[in-house]
Amino acid sequence: MRFATLKDTQPDGRLHLVSRDNTRCAPTLGVETMQALLENWDAHSADLQEQSHKLNAGPVAGEKPFLCAEALAPLPRAWQWLDGSAFASHGALMEKAFKHKAANPSGLPLMYQGISDRFLSPQEDAVFPSEADEIDFEGEFGIVTDHVPAGTSAEAALPHIRLLVQINDWSLRRLAPIEIATGFGFIQCKPRSSMAPVAVTPDELGSAWADGRIHLPLAVELNGQHFGHPNGGSMSVGFHDLVAHAAYSRDLVAGTVIGSGTVSNDEWAEVGSTCMTERRMTEMILEGAPQTPFLRFGDRVRMEARLPDAPLFGAIDQIVATQPSD
């Protein structure tokens, strides 16, 4: 199944099913919001499967064209957003560029808790205080869970992964080392993230969903120019491992979103990157110093993962913008 949340008068929007070609949609019957669905998945899923089948088979009552401009994030606001850093190649590239070993003596998966009161819509301007904060994008894959009991193992976590999503985790790089040095968590350096318009059940990916990983390239463009297309299958730990890590000592509420971290591959010279920082690190290695500037107001960032013969999540397509003056 494919889901989108369209704008209406409520902050959580109205949940819709989307056709497999991402061209048509219809309101879900029996449940009105994504959060309500995630909290009662077993009660609604069979009926929604039938509704999805009818939508894919032909016209249904209440359907209309699916337009990304009308979409909110599939889960516009979430109880919890946990972002991992699950691509070892990203850390290895940093070590090579900066010539020091990244510190993680625990060996545990890397994860922090970010802001989740609202995810940006896929075509909403991304607004920031200042270009001097070194604005960066981070292309990621993510998952959304139902309720996960504390102590759930990685193997048992897989059935709790109800939806797959695509995320742009915006970052302000100048502020990150300042906040890391305090010994507390990220606040200023991690503004709201964005989501692609369509969330999908894992079966929509076929063989591209395996081992708790999305085995698809994430293509990123900056101002209409190709920036990178690394593959999500290179995660050093799968999403089920991240779920188990997060649930070690606490339940995860239905609607918990977990991100993969920056999609990254060892073949960075060939496939490019999904964030500015990786591009700058490769330039440090190859040319001795970074050449690519961080984002400027007016820059346009587009990212999309597709199946070999069909669309999937739709695109995140945003303009970097300045905060309006008083």
Side-chain angles (χ1 to χ4, degrees):
M1 292 181 284
R2 301 184 179 211
F3 296 96
T5 295
L6 301 190
K7 300 172 185 176
D8 71 358
T9 59
Q10 301 302 314
D12 293 317
R14 180 63 170 89
L15 186 63
H16 285 63
L17 283 161
V18 180
S19 62
R20 191 155 284 123
D21 60 3
N22 285 6
T23 64
R24 299 156 46 243
C25 65
T28 50
L29 304 178
V31 61
E32 294 192 353
T33 68
M34 179 66 84
Q35 184 63 37
L37 170 58
L38 291 162
E39 290 175 354
N40 298 277
W41 187 273
D42 290 336
H44 295 295
S45 60
D47 187 47
L48 290 174
Q49 284 277 13
E50 181 62 22
Q51 293 177 44
S52 178
H53 175 74
K54 290 179 179 177
L55 178 63
N56 283 309
V60 298
E63 79 162 52
K64 64 178 185 177
F66 175 60
L67 304 175
C68 290
E70 297 179 357
L72 300 171
L75 185 59
R77 50 184 183 170
W79 287 108
Q80 185 164 227
W81 156 233
L82 304 172
D83 197 16
S85 183
F87 290 87
S89 53
H90 183 66
L93 185 58
M94 292 180 66
E95 290 179 8
K96 186 171 183 179
F98 294 109
K99 297 181 173 60
H100 67 78
K101 187 169 181 61
N104 180 25
S106 71
L108 294 172
L110 299 174
M111 183 177 287
Y112 74 91
Q113 185 155 333
I115 183 172
S116 61
D117 63 332
R118 188 170 78 84
F119 284 90
L120 300 182
S121 304
Q123 293 188 4
E124 179 179 357
D125 285 355
V127 178
F128 304 102
S130 171
E131 291 179 348
D133 290 333
E134 299 179 350
I135 305 165
D136 199 356
F137 53 84
E138 291 187 60
E140 304 190 13
F141 291 116
I143 58 97
V144 188
T145 72
D146 61 9
H147 172 256
V148 183
T152 296
S153 68
E155 182 180 6
L158 277 169
H160 291 287
I161 297 174
R162 295 302 190 178
L163 295 169
L164 310 179
V165 293
Q166 180 190 307
I167 296 167
N168 183 0
D169 177 39
W170 292 100
S171 295
L172 302 178
R173 299 297 190 186
R174 182 184 70 83
L175 302 176
I178 298 172
E179 294 194 305
I180 290 171
T182 68
F184 277 62
F186 296 140
I187 296 293
Q188 292 183 334
C189 74
K190 284 295 184 179
R192 289 187 174 96
S193 298
S194 313
M195 273 192 196
V198 180
V200 306
T201 50
D203 59 291
E204 288 286 324
L205 274 68
S207 61
W209 172 250
D211 304 319
R213 296 162 171 83
I214 296 174
H215 295 262
L216 291 171
L218 178 54
V220 177
E221 295 178 359
L222 175 59
N223 296 324
Q225 300 298 312
H226 176 264
F227 196 89
H229 59 278
N231 195 293
S234 297
M235 290 173 71
S236 53
V237 294
F239 278 112
H240 54 313
D241 299 300
L242 295 179
V243 172
H245 174 70
Y248 172 77
S249 59
R250 57 178 173 174
D251 289 4
L252 303 184
V253 296
T256 293
V257 184
I258 298 180
S260 65
T262 304
V263 178
S264 177
N265 294 168
D266 289 330
E267 305 82 9
W268 42 266
E270 292 79 25
V271 302
S273 303
T274 62
C275 73
M276 306 286 294
T277 296
E278 272 207 5
R279 168 72 66 84
R280 290 168 59 86
M281 287 189 293
T282 62
E283 291 167 345
M284 289 175 64
I285 294 167
L286 298 176
E287 304 176 45
Q291 307 296 321
T292 301
F294 286 103
L295 295 171
R296 308 289 191 191
F297 295 139
D299 283 343
R300 184 170 187 169
V301 179
R302 187 183 191 279
M303 51 184 64
E304 182 178 13
R306 298 175 59 91
L307 294 168
D309 56 353
L312 188 58
F313 304 107
I316 299 173
D317 193 350
Q318 294 179 282
I319 302 293
V320 179
T322 184
Q323 292 176 333
S325 57
D326 295 334

